[in-house]
Amino acid sequence: MNAPVKFETTLKDWETDQEVRWCPGCGDYAILKAVQRTLPQLGADPKNTVFISGIGCSSRFPYYMESYGFHTIHGRAPAVATGVKLANPDLDIWLVTGDGDGLSIGGNHLMHVLRRNVNMQIMLFNNEIYGLTKGQASPTSREGTKSPSTPLGSYDHPARPAAFALGAGARFVGRGFDVSKKLPEVLTAAHAHQGAAFIEIFQNCIVYNKDVFEDFAAPKGAEDRQLWLEDGEPMLFAKDSKGIAVDRDRLELKVVDVVDGDWQAAGVIVHDATNRSIAHMLVEMPFGPYPMALGVLYDDPRPTFEAAVIDERARSSEGKEPNLARLLAKGQTWTVDGTAQDPI
């Protein structure tokens, strides 16, 4: 694979002439702008960038990016994205999916693109509802969610996208939310990661699940409810008056008070993005007693799937001359006499 070339673009270079058709106030608008702001900072080339989506509100994304793109079928975007990456490993692949598309019919495909570690950015928009099909409960809907498919309240235990990604073997897991000013930082870190980079983006569905994330995403008091992680920095929140420590007796995380700024005395741990065990604990922290863990939770690269495929192709063809006619004639062959009559 060739080294990427930095291109100079602006946000306008990534906007299309298509009318953006999401509900007024939908969080997808903010995510779209975050991506369009991030790509110029990355020096991305629109002619080398591909957005691939499945089905759902989020999956209209390729129409609104001035680049190449595929709007594929329900749940199968990871399979298509894998094929595109293997056909041309130099392409910059962005996979766009939702909690319904990616974790219901597409869960199997999403699992395999993560465990294989195909080099692409995977953005899963999580609004905890089926928005496109009029508000049914989705795999991530909370217990008690009332919807057309669960009129008395959902009794399903919700899936946790970040926990799913870690369990499937993802080497990069990040979290953000639609209107956060820090979302571009998470996208940038995901793009720098060589391998399958999974970003869960909490997204407000203004019509069917309005303000479901306000408990941690609302601007007022956000510093008390959000833990933005930064590699090599202590896990502090609430204006550095609280932090996250390890309860060594129970082998789980706990919230501690920080007195006079002495976070070390309080036992606050420093974020190590390569620590998979701590990453698992962070995604499982119940919101309420704990803050919402955001940013880069886990980042520990390993060789990518397409690199292994390219190496295999090179080894299998080493010392061999490409000759299709010889290949077809190899082994047992026979000639069909065109004058012979078929038996009746």
Side-chain angles (χ1 to χ4, degrees):
M1 289 177 282
N2 300 323
V5 177
K6 298 288 186 179
F7 281 81
E8 290 189 9
T9 60
T10 66
L11 183 151
K12 292 292 183 182
D13 293 318
W14 294 92
E15 293 179 336
T16 70
D17 60 358
Q18 299 296 300
E19 178 188 359
V20 182
R21 300 183 64 183
W22 287 311
C23 300
C26 174
D28 287 356
Y29 287 95
I31 300 172
L32 176 64
K33 287 302 178 186
V35 173
Q36 290 172 335
R37 288 190 184 98
T38 302
L39 291 170
Q41 297 172 7
L42 300 176
D45 178 7
K47 296 183 180 63
N48 200 54
T49 303
V50 186
F51 283 84
I52 299 174
S53 65
I55 294 297
C57 296
S58 63
S59 293
R60 298 190 61 81
F61 213 89
Y63 294 108
Y64 310 137
M65 296 300 303
E66 190 62 35
S67 67
Y68 290 102
F70 289 92
H71 188 181
T72 70
I73 56 178
H74 205 185
R76 273 63 175 186
V80 175
T82 299
V84 172
K85 190 65 177 179
L86 292 180
N88 187 348
D90 289 330
L91 292 176
D92 189 10
I93 309 293
W94 293 77
L95 192 154
V96 185
T97 186
D99 51 301
D101 179 66
L103 293 176
S104 57
I105 191 170
N108 185 50
H109 293 282
L110 184 58
M111 176 185 73
H112 292 305
V113 78
L114 291 171
R115 74 171 181 83
R116 285 173 173 151
N117 199 36
V118 186
N119 190 15
M120 66 180 71
Q121 296 74 239
I122 302 165
M123 299 187 295
L124 185 143
F125 298 8
N126 181 12
N127 57 20
E128 297 187 0
I129 208 75
Y130 277 110
L132 186 66
T133 53
K134 307 301 183 284
Q136 300 91 337
S138 83
T140 59
S141 294
R142 303 177 193 185
E143 294 176 24
T145 298
K146 292 185 178 181
S147 75
S149 61
T150 56
L152 300 181
S154 174
Y155 47 80
D156 282 352
H157 182 68
R160 296 172 182 253
F164 170 87
L166 282 170
R171 309 297 300 190
F172 180 103
V173 176
R175 262 187 185 160
F177 59 94
D178 45 17
V179 296
S180 171
K181 294 180 180 179
K182 294 187 177 183
L183 180 57
E185 296 178 17
V186 182
L187 298 175
T188 299
H191 188 267
H193 176 88
Q194 291 298 301
F198 179 88
I199 314 107
E200 177 185 9
I201 305 175
F202 297 109
Q203 176 256 324
N204 185 32
C205 177
I206 195 74
V207 176
Y208 297 111
N209 214 14
K210 184 180 179 182
D211 297 337
V212 70
F213 302 117
E214 282 296 279
D215 47 5
F216 69 85
K220 187 176 181 180
E223 64 274 4
D224 296 330
R225 304 184 304 270
Q226 298 174 11
L227 171 65
W228 281 96
L229 299 160
E230 188 173 344
D231 191 39
E233 295 296 326
M235 296 187 188
L236 296 169
F237 65 102
K239 297 180 179 179
D240 295 348
S241 66
K242 295 182 181 294
I244 300 297
V246 176
D247 185 332
R248 302 192 182 279
D249 293 329
R250 296 178 57 85
L251 292 180
E252 62 184 19
L253 301 180
K254 63 180 180 180
V255 175
V256 294
D257 293 320
V258 177
V259 180
D260 297 329
D262 194 349
W263 57 268
Q264 291 171 310
V268 175
I269 58 177
V270 173
H271 183 44
D272 176 3
T274 66
N275 190 320
R276 193 175 189 86
S277 298
I278 295 296
H280 274 285
M281 293 182 186
L282 287 167
V283 301
E284 294 291 350
M285 288 194 311
F287 180 76
Y290 296 85
M292 178 59 69
L294 300 164
V296 178
L297 284 71
Y298 182 62
D299 184 0
D300 188 17
R302 67 174 174 84
T304 64
F305 181 69
E306 69 276 7
V309 171
I310 292 170
D311 179 66
E312 180 188 53
R313 289 172 180 169
R315 287 187 288 108
S316 63
S317 61
E318 186 177 358
K320 297 179 181 178
E321 178 187 353
N323 189 318
L324 181 60
R326 184 181 299 173
L327 178 64
L328 293 174
K330 184 179 180 180
Q332 184 177 4
T333 61
W334 65 93
T335 301
V336 177
D337 187 350
T339 62
Q341 297 293 319
D342 293 333
I344 298 177

